[in-house]
Amino acid sequence: MNRSMWIGVIAGIGVAATGGVAAYSFLGKQTAEQASAARAQEECRDEQIVTVVDPKDPHRIAGTAVGAVVGGAVGKDVGDHDITTAVGAAAGALIGRKVQEEIQDNHAGQRTVTTTERRCAPVGSR
């Protein structure tokens, strides 16, 4: 390659690089200006969100099982027959499930979780 070709290649690279830097600077400033203008047209506020978490035993298995065991023991002591044991276990299971449901409902206030969310909307929309 001769000397004039090298000069042309180097000059072309320089012009292309300068144009790229200028375009990047211009577009970067324009995007920042647009972003600040958009932020100025929004109003934001923090909002408290309260949710109730499900109980650890939503199917009330523990209350049902304990009630069945206690009811079966009481039924065996009352009649000393298999039928009284079965009836006692069934009644105890129903009562145990209902007791656990009442306890879980009474403690619902202790299972709340509060989170803060930032809500933004255009100015004047609220």
Side-chain angles (χ1 to χ4, degrees):
M1 287 176 70
N2 61 17
R3 182 176 176 175
S4 62
M5 190 176 255
W6 278 108
I7 292 174
V9 169
I10 292 173
I13 292 173
V15 169
T18 305
V21 169
Y24 180 76
S25 304
F26 175 73
L27 291 177
K29 287 180 185 176
Q30 188 177 18
T31 339
E33 290 170 3
Q34 288 173 347
S36 66
R39 273 186 253 122
Q41 295 174 0
E42 283 185 340
E43 64 181 19
C44 298
R45 63 185 167 94
D46 292 335
E47 191 173 303
Q48 300 287 329
I49 307 295
V50 178
T51 55
V52 177
V53 180
D54 290 334
K56 291 181 181 176
D57 187 7
H59 301 291
R60 300 175 195 89
I61 295 171
T64 304
V66 170
V69 170
V70 171
V74 170
K76 183 173 175 81
D77 286 345
V78 169
D80 199 24
H81 297 297
D82 289 341
I83 189 74
T84 57
T85 304
V87 169
L94 290 173
I95 293 169
R97 181 179 176 87
K98 193 66 175 168
V99 167
Q100 184 175 358
E101 179 182 3
E102 291 294 322
I103 290 171
Q104 286 176 344
D105 289 345
N106 289 339
H107 290 93
Q110 297 173 357
R111 294 191 320 264
T112 59
V113 175
T114 304
T115 57
T116 303
E117 291 185 9
R118 186 148 184 90
R119 305 279 173 126
C120 296
V123 174
S125 67
R126 294 180 193 195

